[in-house]
Amino acid sequence: MFRHIFAYRLKVLLRDKTMIFWTMIFPIALATFFNLAFGGLGESGSFNVIDVALVETQPNPQFMSVLDMMTAGETPLFALQKVTAPRGETLLADGHVAGIITVSESMSLKVNQSGIRQSILKVFLDRYAHTTRTAGRIAAEDPQVLMEMDFTPVVFTEERPVSHAEMDIKLSYFYALIAMACFYGSFFGMEEVNLIQANLSKRAARLNMAPLHKLKAFLYSSLASYSILIVEMMLLMAYLVLILKIDFGNQIGWVIFTIFVGSLTGISFGGFIASMVKGDENVKTGLLIGATMAGSFLAGMMFQNVKHLVQLKAPILQYLNPVNLLADAFYALYFFNTCKRYLINIAGLLVFAVVFAGSTYLVVRRRKYASV
Amino acid sequence: MQVFKLCMKIFKKNLPVMTIYFGVFIIISIIMMTNSRPAEQAGFIQSKVSIVVFSNESSPLVDGMKEVLSDVAVFVEMEEDETLIQDSLYFRRIAYVLRVPDGFTEDFLSGKEPKLAKTSVPGSTNGIYIDMRLEQYLNTANLYVRGIPGIDAETLNAYTLEDLDYETPVEMQRADQRFGVEGMMQYYFNYLAYTLMYVVIMGISTIMLVFNDLNIKRRSSCAPISPGKVTLQFYLATLLFSLISWFVLVSLSLVFSRNELAGSNTPGFIINSFVFASSTTSIGFLIGNLVRGREAISAVANVFTLGSCFISGVFVPQAILSDSVLKMASLFPTFWYVSGNSQIAVSADFTESLIIQIGFAVAFFVLALVVGKKKRMAIEN
């Protein structure tokens, strides 16, 4: 009996093009758009060499030697262009340089906008001026000491990274997307309940007359849905990892386990809505899409800051939103060295799955109809 | 006007769904409004970065350090919770975490060159910026520690702060220049593209679905109205629908950006969106003629609108998108609509964008006519 129901259910589901589209093609398309749109996002905050125009009105060899240090080496801070004053103005106006440094006894800076690169230029010039003053003061105390002093800057900070992983902001969009795809699996769950409750479809009315344990029939056909969802999710993951080159860290086994749990919660969520909500299929579909979208939104799929905002302003909401739990599980797996946060998320998802499936069971079991 | 009236009836029936899409637009716009950037400043303003400092020590050295950093940073109070810190760094709420180890002052004054522990987003510009200021303070203080042996903490602090007090004169190229003042109106008009495309494509295709049903098509071709008249009334109805959608969305955009209404660019935005609405209508015709089935239409409409909006810079600014993506996007009218909007925002000439959009409108319309004619001649669906 298992083989019969399972195999035919698979066939039926695979021919449902709309279902396959929304649960697989749509997430893949969305991932493609994300990748195209956010491809350059990871680099937007990272450091690039700053282009600077240099105008010498008075020779200042001491300053020039310091500047040379900043432009040489493996990670130069500035790229210099020595130019005349009018040429510098043109370069600045056309946006080819971030600022013009005018060298005379003391330096001055000319910019045309207030930004972080301009600020770095200013801090650099300030720094030179400050060291000059310090040297002057020490010389006043004891010129001999100054002659012997080493002005090479000492590094007083050391990096203590919080995580071994790269802080690529793009990833949170993809995590939320996978979570959304898992929860689109709720369409399968809804379909399963519709096909087992005699008052919801003709096929279910027919099935209820068959000499077959209802729970078994329900479980077998749900298993077919679950298998298809898992295969779809694996294809989505393969697309993300192999074609779009999204980095999920080195715990791929746990990532896949997370997808198994997430898909389970997704399907049971669909069953839950279908059995709890009175109304026709359009209402239920609308509710499913609405709930999934709202959940994805709060999990940061549209704007990543929303997820963080929820965390700060309404921390309870992040645990009540299964989509966020799922997205956060991926996030925790990738960024955190400890697994506590990951386990909390997975536990939350399992609790949701049990509640959804349990309620569905209570509604579906032992229904008898005098007429449908 | 039977056909026209029928179209209106079908629209009325679909009104609730359309209202939802308008609602989505309003919600997105409100979110963007709350996320909008602060007003621009005139003149040169040094950037400030949000940082967190954890320190158990309170010495002149540490206080001086904080004072110096306060020129370039805003201090954020935060619990010492690893998870919270990491989340805040990841979502860029803070850029830098500095921990002062116990005994730092003592070690520093005795010339041991102790290290502060810092955590920042690796390689970020903000992190480098804080580093420069911090190292400058500590290095200056260190020079005094080595240059004037036995210097006491207060003098050290006073000398260092005095030295760091000097600021390089900064001049703006044009004193009256305003920077990054793209008003919000441009963004509202950009988001409008998403809703307008979705609503118009869905609306037009929904009617075409009804008309293209084989039995209904056969029945209506028996009717004593010439096919030309049917088509004309049909187009009139859809045009009216697009116009109403355009009008509603433009009004909403204008309401959202009401404090910029007086700007000289407002008519430009309205004209650009009107031309965009016409090219969207043509696309709606084409899709309605090509696709069968309600589910298929919503699938195509979703993917087409989302896809073209993502790569054309509706959701993410065009400046961030890579060149190859933009090249691909230039095959869609959405791209030209968005770049038209950015040209309007800086009062540049946007006729090219307009002409290209009109070209798209005509091309898609002709294509839709050809496909429609072929479909009409077909015996079966």
Side-chain angles (χ1 to χ4, degrees), chain A residues 214-283:
Chain A
K214 196 177 168 190
L215 185 64
K216 277 185 191 160
F218 181 60
L219 277 183
Y220 297 162
S221 77
S222 297
L223 200 62
S225 287
Y226 189 54
S227 316
I228 290 183
L229 182 60
I230 292 292
V231 170
E232 286 179 344
M233 292 304 298
M234 290 304 132
L235 287 174
L236 173 66
M237 287 304 285
Y239 180 72
L240 290 178
V241 172
L242 300 177
I243 296 179
L244 301 186
K245 309 273 182 218
I246 310 293
D247 186 5
F248 284 92
N250 42 15
Q251 292 164 300
I252 199 75
W254 286 107
V255 170
I256 290 175
F257 173 72
T258 314
I259 288 178
F260 272 78
V261 176
S263 305
L264 188 67
T265 316
I267 286 196
S268 61
F269 175 60
F272 175 71
I273 296 281
S275 58
M276 286 305 201
V277 178
K278 303 271 177 287
D280 68 346
E281 217 180 314
N282 285 333
V283 175

Side-chain angles (χ1 to χ4, degrees), chain A residues 41-217:
Chain A
L41 202 64
E43 291 98 54
S44 66
S46 61
F47 185 77
N48 289 321
V49 175
I50 301 170
D51 289 300
V52 186
L54 191 74
V55 179
E56 272 187 280
T57 52
Q58 249 182 60
N60 190 337
Q62 207 183 349
F63 176 71
M64 293 309 288
S65 70
V66 174
L67 206 54
D68 280 343
M69 256 165 51
M70 306 307 290
T71 51
E74 256 176 53
T75 49
L77 201 53
F78 305 129
L80 279 186
Q81 295 183 47
K82 286 178 194 168
V83 292
T84 57
R87 173 86 185 120
E89 293 281 341
T90 340
L91 283 175
L92 181 62
D94 295 346
H96 292 303
V97 294
I100 309 171
I101 298 178
T102 311
V103 183
S104 61
E105 207 160 320
S106 68
M107 302 338 124
S108 68
L109 179 65
K110 193 171 207 175
V111 295
N112 65 358
Q113 76 183 71
S114 310
I116 197 88
R117 294 184 308 149
Q118 287 74 16
S119 299
I120 288 183
L121 274 179
K122 176 171 177 296
V123 171
F124 166 75
L125 292 178
D126 286 350
R127 195 156 132 173
Y128 177 77
H130 298 158
T131 313
T132 317
R133 293 174 93 186
T134 311
R137 209 193 286 265
I138 293 176
E141 291 263 337
D142 186 353
Q144 197 53 42
V145 178
L146 187 70
M147 302 300 284
E148 290 159 11
M149 253 175 101
D150 178 13
F151 278 91
T152 322
V154 182
V155 178
F156 280 101
T157 54
E158 62 186 351
E159 191 76 50
R160 191 194 288 167
V162 266
S163 162
H164 49 91
E166 252 184 275
M167 290 209 163
D168 191 345
I169 199 90
K170 187 171 75 177
L171 286 172
S172 65
Y173 287 101
F174 285 100
Y175 292 154
L177 175 74
I178 300 170
M180 185 205 78
C182 278
F183 274 83
Y184 264 19
S186 55
F187 290 115
F188 284 112
M190 185 176 78
E191 190 79 353
E192 292 305 337
V193 168
N194 282 345
L195 290 182
I196 204 80
Q197 285 302 77
N199 59 336
L200 296 179
S201 68
K202 284 180 179 147
R203 181 190 174 273
R206 157 75 184 74
L207 195 89
N208 270 253
M209 292 171 62
L212 170 70
H213 195 293
K214 196 177 168 190
L215 185 64
K216 277 185 191 160

